[in-house]
Structures are given as C-alpha cells and as structure tokens.
Amino acid sequence: MLRAFLRTAARAARPRTSRPAQDEEVLLDAPDDHLAPALVAAARGDSAPAAALLAGTRENAAWEHRDRYATRLAAFARSRSEWLDDWRATAPDDPDALLVAARLTVERHWDSPARTELLRQIVPAVTAAAEAAGPDPVPWRTALDTARGARAGHPEFERLWAQAVRRSPHHYGCHVAALDYLAATSPGAHRECLDFAETAAQDAPEDALVRALPLRAAFICLTTSGSDNGGGSGGLGGGAGGVHRARLDAAAERAIALSAARPAADPWPAELRNLLTYVLVRLERHQDAAEQLRLTGPYVTSFPWGRDGDRAADDPLGRFLQVRADVRAAVASARETTGSGHPRSGHGGRVRPGDH
C-alpha cells in the first residue's frame, strides 16, 4: 500500500496538462504540488516537509490551505502516525503539530460507538489549544466539529463560533462546521441551512471559498429526507426538503462562477467541482455537470462520492465513474433528441459559450 501511495503522490506532483483524462488516469484525493512532497516524506518517517508546509500557511495567514493541509495530514496519520509521533516528541509545543494531532484525535473518536462521550472528554483540551493559537481560525474549526460530535448545546456552540469568526469572518472550514451543526441539531431545517449559507456567501469577497457554502447547503437539502423539490434524482436518491428549486439552482450558479475563476484540471478546486457535479446531476442539469467534469480533469474527491445521504459509500471512485458515464450518456441523448450538436442546459435554453 505504501508503494501505491508513493506512486499516486508522485504522479499528482507532476506538471499537469489540459489533455482530457482517461479512466485509468483518474486520481482519488490527489494532493496538490505542495502537499504531495510532505505526504511522501511523512510516509518515510520525515515530518520536516509537513512542518515547513504548515508553518508557511500560518505565517502567511493562508487559512484555507492550512485547514485542508492539516486535515489531509491528519487523515494520513490515521494509518501511519510515526512521523507525527516523532514530531510531537521533538517539538511538543509546536502549534502545527498540535493542530494535526488534535484533528487526528477527533477523527479517531468520530468513528467510535462511544463518539459522544469520547469527544466530550476532549472538548476542554481542544478549546484550550484553539485559544492558545492566536489569530489562527483553523483550530476553531476542529473545536466546532468536536462540539458537534459531543452534542454540545446551542449556547456552547455559539460561544465557539463567535471565537472562530472573530479570527476569520469568512473562513470556509468554520462555516462548514457551523452548517453541519445546524443540519445535525435541527433535522429538516433545510431553509435555515440555506439562509445561513446564503448570508455568509453574500457577505464574503468575490473570490472567497465561503461563497460556495450555499452549494454545501444544497447538498444537505438533496441528501436528507423531505419532500421533493421537483428536480430529478439523477440516480442518487434523497429529497430536497421542500426547498424551492430556484434556491438550489442559485447555489449551483454561484459555485459555477467560482469554478470558472479557477484553473482547470487542478487538485485545489477539485472538491468544489466534484460537489458541484453531484448537485447539478441531482438537479438534472447534465450539460452543466459535463462542463464541471471537464474542468475537474482526473481529480476525484471522496466527498461527496463517499457519502450517500447519511450513509457511507464503499467505492467513491466507482461512484464517480458511474455518474460520469451517466452524465455523458444523458448529454449524448439530449443531442440526439434536439437534433443538433447544441444540447440544452438545465434551465431549458441552449448552452452558449458565455453561459458559464
């Protein structure tokens, strides 16, 4: 398994081209050019590149990158933690090592049948670490997730949330944690989830990742039980909780604009594009989904394909490949139906070059 990982990380770090990806080239959760060397080194027991990577994000206040890198490093440490253990032993007060270790602890407890009790026991330590991290909002994302898993009440969660947004009012990870808490503590509150997400997106700078938060809320609406919104299932199951279709389309449009502003075939916006593809398929906007698949290139992410509502999917890569094949078939069928080479978009009009 280690050799397979090293090959995947090395391939992900190679210069990318705009050549369309073949099935055998599709990569699941491929790291970007900065993370890949850190993961390869960690696999060999060397924590120095990971330490340098996270220190750089902290010094440059690159919070979105810091959040993603810390999460990916913690996920890797679940199966190979020697490098992290050595790092913590040699630098016990290093804020970057503490960040990864806290995330790792939360992820390990999350899968336990005793999740709630285990997470309640570490809430004070996780919160104290976040308070000691200065302006860094990323530890607060971990604190928010911990509070959700511990089933914290609204007053406690709101206290943590206030600390997070005080440090970074538009940090995507903290907003995702708050959105997930709202969905978990108020089942069926789809309108409230969209209200929260839309407000956060409207207040954020044009290029901020948090502008994609309504897409995440749309995913929640489409993958939890409720009355259907009139859009098709696209073979993925679930309902839209009675949310008006126009709000789901608006969330998709906002995410389409974000995707268009980012480079094609790049691992950084891959999760945004994979999630956007999922939502577009559920809304039966197959031509728009096909465009996102083109922009995604070979980069597949476990989220959302590793989830089907509240259930975990055993084969996220296979799920993606099946959906991609279905999208291509739907687009080809639409071309045949309209009798031209210009398929119709999900809104009923012909797709024009400037539509997206």
Side-chain angles (χ1 to χ4, degrees):
M1 291 181 64
L2 175 57
R3 290 181 179 177
F5 165 76
L6 292 174
R7 287 196 298 270
T8 300
R11 288 177 61 195
R14 293 174 186 167
R16 292 179 289 276
T17 70
S18 59
R19 181 167 56 91
Q22 302 299 317
D23 285 355
E24 63 273 12
E25 295 176 321
V26 174
L27 301 172
L28 180 66
D29 296 328
D32 66 18
D33 293 347
H34 302 288
L35 180 61
L39 290 173
V40 170
R44 295 170 177 161
D46 181 8
S47 63
L53 177 65
L54 289 179
T57 63
R58 175 166 43 84
E59 292 162 1
N60 295 314
W63 305 131
E64 305 296 0
H65 286 77
R66 181 172 177 78
D67 191 7
R68 182 173 298 186
Y69 293 155
T71 299
R72 292 293 303 275
L73 288 165
F76 180 72
R78 292 194 66 171
S79 58
R80 293 185 63 88
S81 64
E82 298 88 349
W83 62 277
L84 180 58
D85 297 336
D86 291 343
W87 184 8
R88 295 193 65 196
T90 57
D93 297 323
D94 187 307
D96 305 314
L98 290 172
L99 175 64
V100 177
R103 194 76 205 173
L104 174 60
T105 300
V106 171
E107 290 184 3
R108 283 176 170 166
H109 288 346
W110 203 271
D111 294 333
S112 170
R115 173 205 299 175
T116 301
E117 182 58 34
L118 289 171
L119 290 176
R120 282 176 180 168
Q121 292 175 11
I122 67 169
V123 164
V126 171
T127 303
E131 290 171 343
D136 184 358
V138 180
W140 291 99
R141 193 259 174 93
T142 302
L144 291 167
D145 284 336
T146 305
R148 173 167 60 94
R151 298 184 181 179
H154 288 288
E156 172 62 14
F157 192 90
E158 289 172 359
R159 185 184 73 80
L160 299 176
W161 171 246
Q163 294 292 329
V165 296
R166 183 178 303 164
R167 286 158 175 81
S168 179
H170 307 300
H171 181 240
Y172 179 70
C174 288
H175 280 78
V176 168
L179 180 64
D180 287 344
Y181 178 84
L182 178 60
T185 56
S186 305
H190 297 136
R191 290 185 179 85
E192 290 84 347
C193 287
L194 275 169
D195 289 345
F196 171 77
E198 289 168 355
T199 299
Q202 290 165 3
D203 293 342
E206 284 294 324
D207 61 345
L209 187 57
V210 77
R211 289 181 68 84
L213 196 67
L215 183 72
R216 187 93 178 205
F219 172 80
I220 291 172
C221 295
L222 291 165
T223 55
T224 54
S225 60
S227 58
D228 190 50
N229 71 323
S233 69
L236 296 174
V243 172
H244 198 281
R245 166 66 186 252
R247 297 185 74 179
L248 303 181
D249 279 320
E253 290 299 327
R254 195 189 298 268
I256 285 172
L258 277 173
S259 174
R262 285 159 170 77
D266 187 279
W268 179 255
E271 184 176 296
L272 165 65
R273 288 171 175 151
N274 277 255
L275 180 58
L276 179 53
T277 298
Y278 185 107
V279 170
L280 289 168
V281 169
R282 286 297 313 277
L283 296 176
E284 293 191 334
R285 294 175 56 174
H286 295 110
Q287 179 61 28
D288 290 331
E291 172 63 7
Q292 293 308 311
L293 288 169
R294 183 190 71 80
L295 292 172
T296 298
Y299 298 108
V300 184
T301 56
S302 291
F303 179 79
W305 311 112
R307 286 177 55 182
D308 187 0
D310 293 329
R311 301 181 301 278
D314 294 332
D315 183 13
L317 186 57
R319 188 84 162 151
F320 168 84
L321 292 173
Q322 181 60 58
V323 170
R324 187 177 70 173
D326 291 346
V327 167
R328 290 173 174 173
V331 170
S333 176
R335 288 196 180 103
E336 294 175 0
T337 300
T338 59
S340 75
H342 302 286
R344 296 181 180 275
S345 73
H347 293 300
R350 292 193 181 277
V351 177
R352 300 181 299 276
D355 277 355
H356 308 305

